[in-house]
Amino acid sequence: MSQEIAVIGSPEFTTGFRLAGVRKCENVPEDEKDDRLDEAVEGTLADDDVGIVVMRDEDLEHLSRTVRREVEGSVEPVLVTLGGGAGSGLREQIKRAIGIDLMDEDE
């Protein structure tokens, strides 16, 4: 069974992904993130058809502590954050998923 990519964020953030063919998008306007982002993330994580969740790195600050911990510990679906600097979010997710740091130069 193939899994889909889901995108969560402001309508401006999700529009580009929709144009690229991503069908699962949760629009949460900037002024509603503190109220609605937790619900959107929990619903997406519970969707068995989703294998990758894409969010802006800054949006993690709007999540409650409980949901943020759930997202950061999730291996399936994996969370990929954009805008947080040189791929550190993706690197940590890969490291957590497979147990080793593929980019570590000492190994």
Side-chain angles (χ1 to χ4, degrees), residues 11-70:
E12 295 82 8
F13 180 71
T14 62
T15 297
F17 289 94
R18 283 185 194 277
L19 292 172
V22 174
R23 295 180 290 173
K24 294 189 179 272
C25 294
E26 288 285 338
N27 289 325
V28 182
E30 292 292 333
D31 59 340
E32 298 177 18
K33 284 189 179 177
D34 289 330
D35 298 325
R36 295 188 42 219
L37 195 59
D38 276 358
E39 182 181 327
V41 169
E42 288 178 315
T44 303
L45 290 178
D47 187 341
D48 291 335
D49 293 333
V50 174
I52 299 172
V53 178
V54 179
M55 291 178 64
R56 287 182 46 193
D57 188 59
E58 305 88 57
D59 288 346
L60 294 178
E61 297 173 15
H62 294 276
L63 295 174
S64 69
R65 182 176 297 152
T66 306
V67 174
R68 186 175 183 156
R69 210 174 298 136
E70 182 181 345

